[in-house]
Amino acid sequence: MITVIEQAVEARLVATAPKVETVPVTLRYDRSDPFALRMSFPAPATLEGIEVSWTFARDLLTAGLDRAAGHGDVRVRPYGGGRTVVEFHAPEGVAIVLMDTAELRRFLDRSCTVVPPGMEHLYLDMDHSLAELMRGSC
């Protein structure tokens, strides 16, 4: 049984107009963290020159494909022309990427075969999570 889904997608990193750079992005969904997904950017696409990953709710990406979603560090909204905007807000600034909506839907559909929406709670390992919390408290 598949427990991890990874998919490479192309993203257009929007900098100052008119420069728009295309970068490869890796989307990852892991059943052991059923509410979240990870979006990783390669080192050449980041200010720090190291790979950067953002982890956020799968539901946020799902909602953002059809309407503006998110109020925190990650915001997602439809852009038109079959594209989706994902904004990442950090102390260093804001990164805005345009991604193909069909590729994002394909990734989300694949993630739903691993953990169906609404069933995430069945895949949580509460004993492990509690042990991790307790380990950090001493």
Side-chain angles (χ1 to χ4, degrees), residues 82-118:
R83 294 178 290 177
T84 298
V85 172
V86 183
E87 294 180 12
F88 300 96
H89 295 253
E92 299 81 15
V94 178
I96 300 172
V97 296
L98 294 173
M99 304 177 84
D100 182 76
T101 303
E103 286 191 53
L104 295 175
R105 283 191 199 283
R106 189 169 25 261
F107 172 76
L108 289 167
D109 288 346
R110 292 177 63 212
S111 78
C112 292
T113 66
V114 176
V115 177

Side-chain angles (χ1 to χ4, degrees), residues 18-48:
K19 183 184 176 191
V20 177
E21 182 181 337
T22 301
V23 297
V25 173
T26 302
L27 299 171
R28 186 174 204 279
Y29 181 78
D30 187 338
R31 183 171 64 184
S32 68
D33 192 3
F35 288 101
L37 63 87
R38 179 174 298 213
M39 191 175 286
S40 299
F41 295 84
T46 69
L47 293 175
E48 298 84 10

Side-chain angles (χ1 to χ4, degrees), residues 38-59:
R38 179 174 298 213
M39 191 175 286
S40 299
F41 295 84
T46 69
L47 293 175
E48 298 84 10
I50 59 171
E51 182 178 293
V52 173
S53 294
W54 286 76
T55 302
F56 56 96
R58 177 173 69 167
D59 287 348

